[in-house]
Amino acid sequence: MVKQLFILLAMMSSGLTCFVAQANDEVLCVDQVALQGIPFSFENDNNVRPKVSDFSVVNTVLMSSEQGRRVAVVTIRNDASGSRILQAEHIMALFADGRRISPMALADNIKLEDG
């Protein structure tokens, strides 16, 4: 137990933060993103935008596996004065090639209270 704790602390202190994503031992590692928060300019000829809402993105953590799986953990805040239902159409990712895509799946009826 002490040895496992030491290894975990050593990994965390060296910046190697990884998570087991599934029972098949696929490991997700946090990607270091030096440009997070900097706006990018991609043409949006088709005017693809997320559904208008009172939600805002507070924080994102990007992760990937050696097998090529990519995951984003996103913290979202409800800026409305009352509760709102979060839908997949309210969120959109901008990829490095300029594509804009909403999540493939989002649990139904995610109710977020104000704040």
Side-chain angles (χ1 to χ4, degrees), residues 30-96:
V30 174
D31 297 336
Q32 293 183 350
V33 181
L35 302 175
Q36 191 167 354
I38 296 175
F40 293 99
S41 296
F42 289 102
E43 295 297 324
N44 191 2
D45 296 333
N46 296 328
N47 199 26
V48 177
R49 301 195 185 284
K51 184 177 179 180
V52 176
S53 70
D54 292 313
F55 300 110
S56 60
V57 175
V58 176
N59 192 20
T60 60
V61 177
L62 303 177
M63 296 183 280
S64 61
S65 72
E66 288 185 11
Q67 293 80 15
R69 182 172 183 214
R70 305 267 310 165
V71 175
V73 177
V74 182
T75 304
I76 296 177
R77 180 180 54 233
N78 174 12
D79 293 325
S81 59
S83 62
R84 298 288 186 268
I85 303 294
L86 178 65
Q87 301 171 342
E89 296 83 20
H90 291 130
I91 305 168
M92 185 165 287
L94 175 61
F95 288 83

